[in-house]
Amino acid sequence: MLVENDDSYMLTIAPIEIYEEYVIEDNAINYEYEMVESNKKK
C-alpha cells in the first residue's frame, strides 16, 4: 500500500485484509468530509 501525504509517501506491506479495512475506512472518512464540505456550500 502506498500512502501519499503532501510531498511524502509511505510504503506499507501488510496482509490484504488490513489493506481492505484501510480502504473501507478511508472511503468512509472521505465521504463524511465531502458531506461536510457540501453542507458548508449550501
Side-chain angles (χ1 to χ4, degrees), residues 11-39:
L11 181 62
T12 305
I13 299 172
I16 191 67
E17 295 85 16
I18 293 175
Y19 172 75
E20 289 170 346
E21 289 174 16
Y22 173 83
V23 169
I24 291 169
E25 181 180 328
D26 192 49
N27 287 340
I29 291 170
N30 286 338
Y31 177 75
E32 290 175 14
Y33 175 78
E34 288 171 4
M35 292 297 294
V36 168
E37 287 297 307
S38 66
N39 287 338

